[in-house]
Amino acid sequence: MINFELDQEQKMLTEAIGRLAKERMRKVFRDADEDGVLPPDVVKAGWEIGVLPTSIPEAYGGFGEYSVITGALAAEAFAWGDLAATLYIMTPNLVAVPLMLAGTEAQKEAHLPLFCEEALPKVTAALTEPVIQFDPRQLKTTAVLENDSYILNGTKCFVPLAEDAETFLIYANEADQTQAFFVPRGVEGLEIGQREKLMGVRALPTYQVKLNNVRVSAVNKLGGNEGIDFGRLLNHSRVALGALAVGMAKAAFEYARDYAKERVQFGEPIAHRQSIAFMLAEMAMDIDAARLMVWEAAWQLDQGKDATQATAVMKYYVDDMVMSVCDRALQTLGGYGYIREYPVELWLRNARAFATFDGMAMV
Amino acid sequence: MISFEIPEKITNEIQMAKMVAESVMRQYSRYYDEHEHERPSEYINMMWPVMREQHRRRTEKLQQNGNGSGPKREGPDFSILRLIMMIEMLSWGDAGQYLCTPDPALGGAALEAVGTKEQKIRILGKFGQGEPKWGAMAMTEPGAGSDTSNIRTTATLDAESNEWILNGEKIFCTNGGLALDESDGFVVVWATVDASAGRSGMKSFIVEAKTPGVTVTKKEHKLGIRVSDTVAIVFDNARIPYDNILGSAEVIKRDGSTKGFKGAMATFDASRPAVAASAMGICRAALEFTRDKLAAEGIVVDYTKPKHQMTAVERDLLEMEARHKSAWLLTLRSAVLMAHGQPNRLEASMCKARAGETVTWVTQKAVELLGPMGYTREWLTEKWMRDAKINDIYEGTKQINTLIVARSILGYSRRELK
Ligand SMILES: Cc1cc2nc3c(=O)[nH]c(=O)nc-3n(C[C@H](O)[C@H](O)[C@H](O)COP(=O)(O)OP(=O)(O)OC[C@H]3O[C@@H](n4cnc5c(N)ncnc54)[C@H](O)[C@@H]3O)c2cc1C
Ligand SMILES: Cc1cc2nc3c(=O)[nH]c(=O)nc-3n(C[C@H](O)[C@H](O)[C@H](O)COP(=O)(O)OP(=O)(O)OC[C@H]3O[C@@H](n4cnc5c(N)ncnc54)[C@H](O)[C@@H]3O)c2cc1C
């Protein structure tokens, strides 16, 4: 029955992630953004919390039950620590979740156990393309069936951890449908470009990937002959992104709130002024509303309902929310908000990504 | 366990409310908007037998055992959720008529929060019999709107007759006329028993219909919810029995002790979500109507389309929907917390602030999107826009509820954040 309280396991999980976020991620995230490198031990610690393996059924080597809500809660808790590190740690989800949702039995058996191992699996997925009017349902990358093989052609961008990846899940347009294909590293025609230079999430290595007549066996198509219902996968991605946005917005809000209580101008803390206090109150309401919308969409997915409408409405709200919360957080700090010693400008740069990053996270 | 599943029993009851909304309220919406101060008897007559039966049973229970809430139940009490959803649906029908529901309303909420069993049986018991009755709550005065601690209406104890003597003026009292002049109802009136004691001197009193010295002096003409009765009441040496005080008569002057006032605040925990729900009903009405009218013109939101490929009107529709959803979920949350016996003061103010703002914006947008047709009185859109705005004002304006949220998240007192 209707209830907005986490269950015991979810509480333990989010508390564990919260500790890691506070004690490890927040200690390194500012430097990681400057240097473009995440300390491997932080990534390792994040992976070892085991969010993904706990959502993979025992039959495939995992030890849990798949729950979108739990995944969303974990994503929020991680993102409070740092978005780049979270996207890094969650990169395997980009392959594991589509597998669980749409893989054939053989594909699940072949690939899922990989995600239950100790080390972060070397996989990634490529959806986004370097075009202005990007539409994940109308991809420019093509897949054409030729005898028993698919021929893939096109250019992808924002492919995280591509340089080290052994397996790529490449999304491509097959007869006006978005389908996904497993492409192993080293296959002819697969070219991994230079590391991309992005506005935010600079600690996450992303790459352009070019496909020039890449040929893979037809069995490499996710979901087999039938393929996938891409819309459904996109809904899962939107929930993940929504949860991440909420977590990061919460970080920015809390920082601004604490700052406003400390910063004295005109003889009293600036938080004593309604123009600051109301801004903070609005931020808190935006975040709470956004979280509820993420949860509702996640709950619908867990119920097996079609969450297309809920996720679209939620995403519309959340993309705006995270941007305006981070902007107001920066405003609260005045000039200091603009200085890179303080974290708020980083959150503002990261925030803009949510309008662009369809398909960049999965739960 | 996070869940959004509404109990089936409530869903069914809401379906019945929908029938009332469609077959009665919507039919007379325009009529009562254009005939201000006429009593919406179709709706009232439909609702009264239902309300009367509810109160009759409740009073019976009160007389038989304890506090009338029946045996202590296990698990959550979803009656507040049911109420919220009912109000939403009735306001989807017509928010003004919903406000005319013959029941103790805000007066009842105050009684439930701090009244004794005897008071509940005596006053609420009347709602279980006879003709339609109304309850109301009078806090606001000309000099005390948002600043409720500034009320000047006085209550003085006449030791000889053991009666309270009320003097002062209340304004903007919803259903005050129906409660005092047009039925055997009552008004809960806030007054100070000791002006020097500030908030702790504030007490509330039950004033019944036909009390000498109580006069309804003015019926307001309003922008919207025109069918709803909004009146000014003057108290000129009005005498009421000693037992009509709600809560303790004691005034504790020590700093921080504001018990009487806290009674008022406790009723807000339930009444703010209720106002938010009413706002959400109007909001949904406007949203659905606009969506249907645009769909008839071939304008439909394709939820699978990226935002950058949508037209401006499609985006507006999506934004209306997003804002509606965000405020509605905040409203649901405040009710669900209450159902689970958890504190909800912050959440109640959040949903009230957001619902009032959201319905204001969504209904204004609806009129805009429907073009010349939106602006005519042929359609209800323009009425919904006028009705909507009150939700941004009563039960604490948007600013006052934002202030409460701000204080709460900052851990500030009234002194630190005025
Ligand atoms: C890149 C850069 C270049 C600059 N160049 C110069 C320069 O050349 N010369 C120079 O002298 N300075 C310069 N500044 C400083 C700049 O003018 C200040 O940062 C600015 O005046 C704000 O002051 P603050 O940063 O101390 O913020 P604060 O004064 O601490 O303000 C913090 C927040 O509180 C709000 N606030 C403060 N008081 C009130 C109030 N009474 N009511 C409501 N809200 C309030 C502010 O609007 C802000 O949102 C520069 C700053 C930057 C970032
Ligand atoms: C149709 C209708 C029905 C009503 N029904 C009832 C009823 O049944 N019972 C009852 O007791 N009252 C009722 N009211 C009164 C209502 O609750 C008040 O109108 C409301 O609380 C605002 O008070 P006010 O009108 O005096 O405005 P004011 O308090 O004068 O406010 C004017 C403006 O100043 C802002 N403001 C005030 N204080 C602050 C502050 N500290 N910080 C920032 N902004 C501030 C307000 O938000 C508002 O925008 C009703 C009013 C109407 C219009």
Side-chain angles (χ1 to χ4, degrees), chain A residues 274 278, chain B residues 99 106 136-148 170-176 188 190 220 222 224-225 228-231 390 392-400 403 407 417-418:
Chain A
Q274 282 193 354
F278 277 26
Chain B
L99 286 167
L106 282 180
M137 203 271 288
M139 173 77 92
T140 307
E141 299 178 4
S146 298
D147 185 6
T148 47
K170 293 290 177 185
I171 58 167
F172 295 166
C173 178
T174 300
N175 289 351
V188 168
W190 286 85
E220 302 290 351
K222 303 188 297 291
I225 54 164
S228 172
D229 163 55
T230 312
V231 301
I390 190 57
D392 218 6
I393 297 167
Y394 61 14
E395 289 297 293
T397 60
K398 150 121 178 151
Q399 287 71 27
I400 294 305
L403 191 58
R407 279 184 196 139
L417 188 60
K418 294 197 182 73

Side-chain angles (χ1 to χ4, degrees), chain A residues 24-198:
Chain A
R24 308 285 296 275
M25 297 166 90
R26 280 289 183 93
K27 295 280 193 302
V28 302
F29 81 126
R30 185 69 260 192
D31 285 345
D33 183 74
E34 291 288 330
D35 305 341
V37 183
L38 277 161
D41 61 303
V42 173
V43 172
K44 187 164 175 283
W47 173 251
E48 280 170 0
I49 284 190
V51 179
L52 185 53
T54 37
S55 71
I56 293 176
E58 272 172 47
Y60 307 106
F63 39 94
E65 205 183 327
Y66 178 58
S67 153
V68 184
I69 288 218
T70 304
L73 292 169
E76 178 187 335
F78 269 125
W80 182 91
D82 178 46
L83 184 63
T86 306
L87 290 172
Y88 198 122
I89 295 160
M90 285 177 65
T91 296
N93 290 41
L94 297 179
V95 180
V97 173
L99 258 170
M100 280 193 279
L101 294 173
T104 63
E105 205 45 45
Q107 287 168 337
K108 287 187 201 175
E109 275 167 20
H111 296 288
L112 277 179
L114 177 69
F115 298 93
C116 307
E117 285 172 14
E118 231 165 86
L120 189 93
K122 294 184 169 177
V123 299
T124 190
L127 173 69
T128 315
E129 298 173 344
V131 293
I132 293 174
Q133 289 273 311
F134 177 64
D135 180 349
R137 289 163 197 270
Q138 297 286 324
L139 295 176
K140 303 266 188 285
T141 301
T142 54
V144 180
L145 187 62
E146 217 181 86
N147 302 324
D148 279 343
S149 299
Y150 277 100
I151 318 289
L152 305 177
N153 275 297
T155 304
K156 296 289 180 181
C157 63
F158 296 172
V159 188
L161 317 186
E163 198 176 44
D164 294 327
E166 298 292 340
T167 306
F168 296 77
L169 188 65
I170 307 274
Y171 289 89
N173 189 330
E174 183 195 3
D176 259 353
Q177 299 275 323
T178 297
Q179 296 294 340
F181 303 86
F182 289 103
V183 176
R185 182 183 197 80
V187 69
E188 206 185 316
L190 179 73
E191 186 193 319
I192 295 150
Q194 291 288 306
R195 179 165 168 178
E196 289 166 330
K197 294 186 170 124
L198 304 185

Side-chain angles (χ1 to χ4, degrees), chain A residues 263 265-266 270 273 275-276 331-332 334-336 338:
Chain A
R263 174 66 171 171
Q265 287 289 280
F266 302 100
I270 54 170
R273 314 268 169 190
S275 57
I276 295 290
Q331 189 63 22
T332 306
Y336 299 91
Y338 202 73

